[in-house]
């Protein structure tokens, strides 16, 4: 099963909720090719009947650091919807990308702190052919911005190679993690 949801609780004032890329047809194609039997893709009204929830999870101190410092409430909204989707789907195992390390750490902490009966597995970052981490927001980048964005992944790959020139012994094959 795959869940697809653009969560309004994760967007702060002035962020791009209204223009955030929604690619459900493409997502369905990817899910089908990956062997998904079901896709849960609720609307905001279905996910939050009656409007924004009055009860939400708090990311606590971990959610106020790094990205959370510049996006107050972002991780609270993310954890609220992840908890809801885990509750609705009741998986034994749930997979989350390593691209957002802080998000993955918070989900693992939530599952541990709240005794969710699910194993959280981090999966390597999927990259485009040029090495840029796959993201819906990449379409916002100009060619010059894309070149600049690639500098980070190239630097991480170079640092990994310098530290561990034998890829067969690399304990973490994803430099985006």
């Amino acid at each position: 099963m795959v869940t697809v949801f653009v969560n309004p609780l994760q967007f702060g004032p002035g962020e791009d909720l209204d223009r955030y890329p929604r690619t459900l047809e493409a997502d369905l194609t990817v899910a089908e090719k990956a062997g998904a039997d079901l896709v849960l893709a609720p609307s905001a009204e279905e996910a939050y009947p009656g409007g924004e929830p009055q009860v939400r999870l708090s990311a606590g101190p971990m959610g106020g650091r790094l990205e959370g410092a510049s996006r107050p409430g972002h991780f609270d909204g993310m954890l609220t919807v992840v908890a809801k989707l885990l509750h609705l789907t009741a998986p034994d195992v749930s997979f989350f990308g390593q691209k957002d390390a802080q998000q993955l750490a918070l989900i693992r902490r939530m599952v541990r702190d709240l005794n969710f009966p699910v194993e959280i597995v981090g999966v390597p970052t999927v990259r485009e052919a040029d090495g840029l981490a796959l993201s819906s927001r990449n379409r916002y980048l100009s060619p010059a911005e894309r070149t600049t964005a690639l500098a980070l992944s190239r630097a991480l790959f170079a640092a990994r190679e310098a530290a561990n020139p034998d890829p067969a012994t690399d304990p973490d094959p994803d430099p985006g993690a």
Side-chain angles (χ1 to χ4, degrees), residues 40-143:
L40 174 62
S43 67
E45 295 76 25
E46 291 168 320
Y48 304 119
E52 287 194 20
Q54 297 299 301
V55 175
R56 299 178 191 208
L57 291 176
S58 169
M62 284 177 67
R65 296 184 178 106
L66 304 171
E67 182 179 4
S70 63
R71 297 183 73 194
H74 169 73
F75 289 117
D76 297 349
M78 177 276 296
L79 289 176
T80 298
V81 79
V82 168
K84 186 169 196 133
L85 292 171
L86 290 174
H87 171 72
L88 291 171
T89 59
D92 295 319
V93 180
S94 189
F95 300 87
F96 291 87
Q98 295 172 334
K99 179 176 78 174
D100 189 332
Q102 186 175 11
Q103 175 175 290
L104 179 58
L106 282 162
I107 291 168
R108 285 181 168 149
R109 184 62 188 243
M110 174 192 72
V111 164
R112 184 175 67 235
D113 286 356
L114 299 180
N115 299 335
F116 276 68
V118 61
E119 177 186 356
I120 301 299
V121 176
V123 296
T125 302
V126 176
R127 296 187 178 278
E128 296 191 31
D130 61 5
L132 188 64
L134 192 61
S135 171
S136 301
R137 288 189 169 116
N138 286 351
R139 67 187 67 214
Y140 294 161
L141 299 175
S142 70

Side-chain angles (χ1 to χ4, degrees), residues 127-133 143-144 146-162 175-176:
R127 296 187 178 278
E128 296 191 31
D130 61 5
L132 188 64
R146 187 177 182 90
T147 299
T148 300
L150 282 166
L152 177 59
S153 65
R154 288 184 180 139
L156 290 170
F157 280 115
R160 180 182 67 190
E161 177 63 27

